């Protein structure tokens, strides 16, 4: 009998060959299809690991309330798992979170609180504390990078027969890049790790030592990005800067244009961070010889952004490339 449970659908996503997007004769380019997880993003991996760990530690019992500050995708994953395992779920999202993701969360029976983009993380933490609810705290929870260290990293190593030479991805909590990077460098210290980040993010400045952190004040993200789930104004506790070899900036324009190119070339609808990842990964691959192998992540599905990245009015309003 080959039947499985919903949680068995999480992980073991396919590795897609996108080498034909790269200049002929350059490196091979592959992407993990994280949009194929049941919650339609990479975040199912951390939600499952955080939940399993909390249950094993006796921190959760059926009927408890889970609170999660999220740009949306972790919220979708917890809403799904809360449904399956019998927890109430409240998700605190920034106002920039797409209608699609908010509706996804609500359709699974979870509550959505919309907060200011610079305050939603604090808002989630305070809400959990005041009500004595379980706080996911994905930005600082060690289970977040560990989930990728235990699943996505080994899958990339296995799927590429250990031939991966470069890994490129963006970050928000930085759990994915930190966990995958730690695993890949553990297999081969030469694997080169690139953090791709949107214009609005400030990790570039932290990494290259240009950021001056003002005492007692959080530097606000410079301007809202059209790319959800990507970029931060300051490092999180999940970010392991020691495994990162370079930080590459990608403009919103280039990320969105790449999403549209992928639709035209491949008939595939991916989210903005996937476009950003692909743009940076192609830049890396274009400058390498065919012996190199670049792997990146298609983090979530484009159906989560139909009203934004695939909507002519939104694109025109935010000076982004038209469809
Ligand atoms: C669409 C999308 N892409 C990329 C990321 C970045 O992943 P991480 O939080 O592991 O850095 C996120 C996280 O919120 C996301 O939602």
């Amino acid at each position: 009998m080959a039947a499985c449970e919903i949680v068995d659908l999480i992980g073991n996503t396919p590795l897609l060959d996108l080498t034909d997007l790269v200049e002929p004769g350059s490196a091979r380019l592959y992407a993990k299809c994280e949009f194929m997880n049941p919650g339609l993003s990479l975040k199912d991996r951390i939600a499952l690991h955080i939940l399993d760990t909390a249950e094993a530690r006796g921190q959760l019992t059926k009927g408890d309330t889970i609170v999660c500050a999220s740009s949306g995708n972790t919220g979708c994953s917890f809403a799904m798992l809360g449904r399956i395992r019998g927890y109430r779920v409240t998700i605190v999202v920034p106002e920039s979170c797409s209608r699609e993701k908010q509706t996804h969360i609500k359709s699974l029976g979870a509550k959505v609180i919309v907060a200011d983009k610079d305050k939603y993380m604090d808002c989630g933490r305070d809400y959990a504390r005041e009500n004595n609810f379980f706080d996911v705290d994905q930005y600082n929870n060690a289970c977040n990078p560990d989930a990728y260290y235990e699943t996505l990293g080994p899958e990339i190593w296995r799927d590429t027969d250990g031939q991966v030479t470069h890994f490129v991805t963006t970050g928000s909590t930085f759990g994915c890049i930190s966990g995958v990077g730690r695993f890949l460098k553990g297999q081969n210290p030469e694997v080169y790790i690139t953090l791709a980040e949107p214009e609005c993010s400030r990790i570039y400045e932290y990494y290259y030592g240009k950021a001056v952190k003002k005492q007692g004040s959080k530097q606000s993200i410079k301007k809202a990005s059209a790319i959800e789930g990507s970029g931060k104004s300051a490092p999180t506790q999940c970010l392991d800067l020691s495994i990162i070899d370079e930080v590459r900036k990608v403009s919103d324009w280039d990320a969105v244009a790449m999403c549209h190119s992928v639709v035209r070339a491949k008939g595939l609808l991916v989210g903005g961070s996937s476009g950003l990842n692909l743009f940076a990964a192609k830049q890396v691959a274009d400058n390498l010889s065919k012996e190199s192998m670049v792997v990146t992540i298609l983090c979530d599905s484009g159906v989560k952004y139909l009203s934004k990245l695939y909507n002519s009015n939104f694109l025109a309003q935010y000076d982004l490339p038209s469809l």
Side-chain angles (χ1 to χ4, degrees), residues 41-43 46 70-74 101 138-139 144 148 169-177 228-230 271-274 277 299-300 305:
S41 86
L42 76 172
K43 294 294 189 165
I46 72 161
S70 160
S71 61
N73 276 326
T74 313
K101 283 196 280 189
Q138 62 165 332
Y139 300 92
N144 172 356
Y148 298 108
T169 197
T170 191
S172 170
T173 66
F174 306 102
C176 180
I177 194 160
E228 293 186 34
S230 180
S273 70
S274 307
N277 277 354
C299 304
D300 69 356
Y305 311 99

Side-chain angles (χ1 to χ4, degrees), residues 171-235:
S172 170
T173 66
F174 306 102
C176 180
I177 194 160
S178 301
V180 171
R182 178 157 51 99
F183 181 85
L184 294 179
K185 281 201 188 277
Q187 302 305 303
N188 173 7
E190 301 296 310
V191 176
Y192 194 85
I193 311 289
T194 299
L195 171 66
E197 67 165 6
E199 290 159 328
C200 66
S201 189
R202 293 186 58 86
I203 305 305
Y204 182 95
E205 285 83 354
Y206 277 91
Y207 187 76
Y208 293 107
K210 293 178 190 151
V212 187
K213 192 162 187 220
K214 287 186 211 134
Q215 207 64 33
S217 77
K218 271 201 193 138
Q219 288 168 320
S220 167
I221 211 153
K222 274 189 260 169
K223 74 176 174 67
S225 172
I227 313 300
E228 293 186 34
S230 180
K232 269 286 161 291
S233 56

Side-chain angles (χ1 to χ4, degrees), residues 62-299:
K62 219 175 160 133
D64 282 355
T65 299
I66 295 169
V67 177
C68 180
S70 160
S71 61
N73 276 326
T74 313
C76 297
S77 303
F78 270 102
M80 175 182 75
L81 292 173
R83 235 327 154 214
I84 295 168
R85 298 228 176 139
Y87 299 109
R88 294 190 179 90
V89 175
T90 298
I91 308 298
V92 183
V93 298
E95 64 233 319
S96 54
C97 176
S98 73
R99 294 273 158 257
E100 291 83 342
K101 283 196 280 189
Q102 293 187 39
T103 307
H104 185 164
I105 296 166
K106 287 182 201 161
S107 303
L108 287 161
K111 181 172 157 186
V112 172
I113 297 173
V114 180
D116 181 90
K117 75 173 167 49
D118 292 327
K119 297 197 183 120
Y120 77 101
M121 288 159 62
D122 292 344
C123 181
R125 190 201 51 226
D126 293 347
Y127 182 76
R129 198 174 283 165
E130 281 155 20
N131 294 285
N132 205 20
F133 291 151
F134 178 81
D135 183 9
V136 168
D137 192 17
Q138 62 165 332
Y139 300 92
N140 305 303
N141 190 329
C143 289
N144 172 356
D146 286 353
Y148 298 108
Y149 180 85
E150 286 170 20
T151 67
L152 189 53
E155 286 172 33
I156 292 170
W157 190 251
R158 180 197 68 199
D159 296 349
T160 61
D161 297 323
Q163 291 178 60
V164 55
T165 57
H166 293 71
F167 178 66
V168 180
T169 197
T170 191
S172 170
T173 66
F174 306 102
C176 180
I177 194 160
S178 301
V180 171
R182 178 157 51 99
F183 181 85
L184 294 179
K185 281 201 188 277
Q187 302 305 303
N188 173 7
E190 301 296 310
V191 176
Y192 194 85
I193 311 289
T194 299
L195 171 66
E197 67 165 6
E199 290 159 328
C200 66
S201 189
R202 293 186 58 86
I203 305 305
Y204 182 95
E205 285 83 354
Y206 277 91
Y207 187 76
Y208 293 107
K210 293 178 190 151
V212 187
K213 192 162 187 220
K214 287 186 211 134
Q215 207 64 33
S217 77
K218 271 201 193 138
Q219 288 168 320
S220 167
I221 211 153
K222 274 189 260 169
K223 74 176 174 67
S225 172
I227 313 300
E228 293 186 34
S230 180
K232 269 286 161 291
S233 56
T236 62
Q237 280 182 34
C238 289
L239 176 57
D240 180 357
L241 282 173
S242 73
I243 56 87
I244 292 174
D245 293 298
E246 72 163 342
V247 183
R248 225 169 241 264
K249 286 266 183 199
V250 177
S251 71
D252 285 11
W253 177 279
D254 287 334
V256 174
M258 179 56 92
C259 287
H260 297 168
S261 301
V262 171
V263 173
R264 284 191 288 268
K266 300 284 170 195
L268 192 62
L269 216 60
V270 293
S273 70
S274 307
L276 188 146
N277 277 354
L278 277 175
F279 186 87
K282 175 175 156 48
Q283 268 188 340
V284 170
D286 282 342
N287 287 298
L288 293 167
S289 64
K290 61 180 187 318
E291 288 72 37
S292 298
M293 183 186 290
V294 181
V295 174
T296 191
I297 309 286
L298 301 178
C299 304

